[in-house]
Amino acid sequence: MPQYPMLHFIGKFGGWCAGAAGVLPLLAAVWAVAAGFPAGWLAVGILAGVAVFVVARSYVELVRVMIDMLLPK
């Protein structure tokens, strides 16, 4: 069993998870507009999706740097 399984999981699948996390606010905004909320929610969903993606992707990159520099190979 490898040490630090969560670090290895994030290092391997983190890009996909960051992308999925960034798309979720956009999908929620599309659903809200379809449910009758004002169209301004779509712009909020786009901005929130971009912000979530940038934060999640930067976290993934930090984890990858930790894996490369600190964990023995």
Side-chain angles (χ1 to χ4, degrees), residues 14-42:
W16 286 99
C17 293
V23 169
L24 285 177
L26 177 61
L27 292 177
V30 168
W31 173 82
V33 170
F37 285 89
W41 281 103
L42 192 57

